[in-house]
Amino acid sequence: MPQLNPSPWFLILMMTWFILMIIFLNKTLTLLYPNTPSQPQSKMKQLVSWTWPWS
């Protein structure tokens, strides 16, 4: 079986990988996050006892 020269295949593989990473990096950096993180509420919630439907 003849062996292929790995040099052009390695270059093609690396260039394809770089191009895909650039495309996906640009896509991920341009994402907009609509939900901003909210601060926890400082007020304590009023504790309410549980009500069970069978009791």
Side-chain angles (χ1 to χ4, degrees):
M1 261 173 104
Q3 300 251 337
L4 291 174
N5 184 4
S7 180
W9 294 107
F10 183 72
L11 182 64
I12 290 170
L13 176 72
M14 291 306 293
M15 290 304 290
T16 305
W17 187 81
F18 281 127
I19 290 170
L20 284 173
M21 287 299 109
I22 289 171
I23 290 170
F24 287 124
L25 182 67
N26 284 338
K27 279 187 176 185
T28 55
L29 288 177
T30 58
L31 282 175
L32 296 176
Y33 298 102
N35 296 331
T36 58
S38 60
Q39 296 294 329
Q41 296 292 332
S42 62
K43 294 188 254 178
M44 287 290 291
K45 288 187 177 180
Q46 196 174 21
L47 295 175
V48 177
S49 62
W50 289 6
T51 59
W52 299 95
W54 56 82
S55 55

